Amino acid sequence: MELADLQRLNERIAGCHACRLSEGRTQTVPGDGDANAELMFIGEGPGFHEDRQGRPFVGQAGKLLDDLLAGIGLSRAEVFVANVVKCRPPQNRDPQPDEIAACEPYLSEQIAGIRPKLIVPLGRFATQYFIPRATMGRSRGVVAQAGPWLIYPVYHPAAALRQGSLLEVLRDDFARIPQLLAESERPSAAADSAEDDEPRGTQMALL
Ligand code: URA
């Protein structure tokens, strides 16, 4: 994706008032990283620190994400990190379905522009963006095809911080990412436009 296109998208996000989350934000958190990354991570939504800094995953969960990335030889600059919703939900509550729907065009534009080889949804909300009825128990660590996109859901780093037993699972799931990247190819630009005709989640097939 051209940097100028990404910047224009970020400006549109910054001016967005499509849902009530815009009322409480300090600033939008569109996402950041390499606009042509092969690997994209999608979290849930900004928290306190993200809302203040305008960058995703800069708090405790972000430190763990950095650490997990370092464990597979990657830095944040080499991947793209975004969220399902671009504004902080009040008191870090779950994003509501209408808020997710209002923000959906931005994430889908980011994905279509970046065209990553592999998308790693972090936690339930990002996973359900692709597989609406997914549970993390069933979906984590399982590679799936969602339209043209290869997805590989893992636990949210914040969940692993709350529940230590998930951390080992998360590390093991991350350890498979380099191999998955090596085995996969970028979807073609034609595949992106084909996706526009398909409602999300209709072409789900477990690999
Ligand atoms: N948790 C998320 O899901 N996203 C962030 O950006 C930070 C924490």
Side-chain angles (χ1 to χ4, degrees), residues 25-188:
R25 72 185 177 214
T26 307
Q27 58 193 313
T28 52
V29 182
D32 66 10
D34 180 354
N36 294 297
E38 293 186 342
L39 177 60
M40 179 169 183
F41 291 87
I42 302 172
E44 178 177 321
F48 176 85
H49 295 286
E50 291 78 19
D51 172 72
R52 290 296 164 101
Q53 295 185 37
R55 296 191 56 219
F57 284 93
V58 291
Q60 286 305 313
K63 290 201 173 56
L64 177 53
L65 178 61
D66 291 349
D67 180 52
L68 290 162
L69 281 172
I72 54 170
L74 289 171
S75 71
R76 282 283 287 270
E78 294 172 281
V79 304
F80 196 89
V81 180
N83 280 305
V84 172
V85 295
K86 314 302 191 197
C87 297
R88 182 192 181 204
Q91 278 81 49
N92 296 342
R93 67 156 169 74
D94 289 347
Q96 304 294 301
D98 63 323
E99 295 159 355
I100 293 171
C103 223
E104 193 265 348
Y106 301 127
L107 181 56
S108 77
E109 211 172 305
Q110 288 173 320
I111 295 170
I114 295 165
R115 234 159 11 93
K117 279 182 167 184
L118 184 68
I119 297 172
V120 179
L122 301 167
R124 176 164 63 97
F125 285 92
T127 302
Q128 288 181 345
Y129 179 88
F130 297 98
I131 310 173
R133 283 173 299 281
T135 64
M136 291 317 290
R138 278 199 310 261
S139 296
R140 67 130 279 278
V142 180
V143 177
Q145 190 79 34
W149 313 117
L150 198 64
I151 69 162
Y152 177 61
V154 303
Y155 286 129
H156 195 291
L161 290 174
R162 281 193 303 269
Q163 196 178 332
S165 59
L166 301 185
L167 186 55
E168 198 180 336
V169 179
L170 186 55
R171 284 198 194 283
D172 288 347
D173 286 345
F174 260 69
R176 276 185 67 204
I177 290 175
Q179 180 73 31
L180 292 173
L181 278 176
E183 288 169 355
S184 49
E185 286 176 15
R186 254 185 219 282
S188 68

